[in-house]
Amino acid sequence: MKKYICANCGYVYDPAAGDPMSDVPPGTPFDALPDGWVCPMCYAAKSQFDELD
């Protein structure tokens, strides 16, 4: 699964880890995150994330 980086603060969403602060379980792909999900560090919207190479 691909990782995504927040263009605003540099936080990397790793699907293998999920987002425990937002009750997103490990194994959740970025595309499966709810539309209202925001960066846990700076609260930027999903649209502010870019795919990591």
Side-chain angles (χ1 to χ4, degrees):
M1 284 187 275
K2 296 179 181 173
K3 296 179 183 180
Y4 286 77
I5 187 167
C6 177
N8 194 48
C9 74
Y11 168 81
V12 174
Y13 176 75
D14 181 356
D19 177 12
M21 291 186 278
S22 298
D23 293 325
V24 174
T28 304
F30 186 80
D31 293 341
L33 292 171
D35 289 336
W37 182 85
V38 294
C39 176
M41 302 307 285
C42 72
Y43 306 105
K46 269 177 74 174
S47 61
Q48 296 298 307
F49 279 73
D50 297 313
E51 190 177 307
L52 271 180
D53 294 329

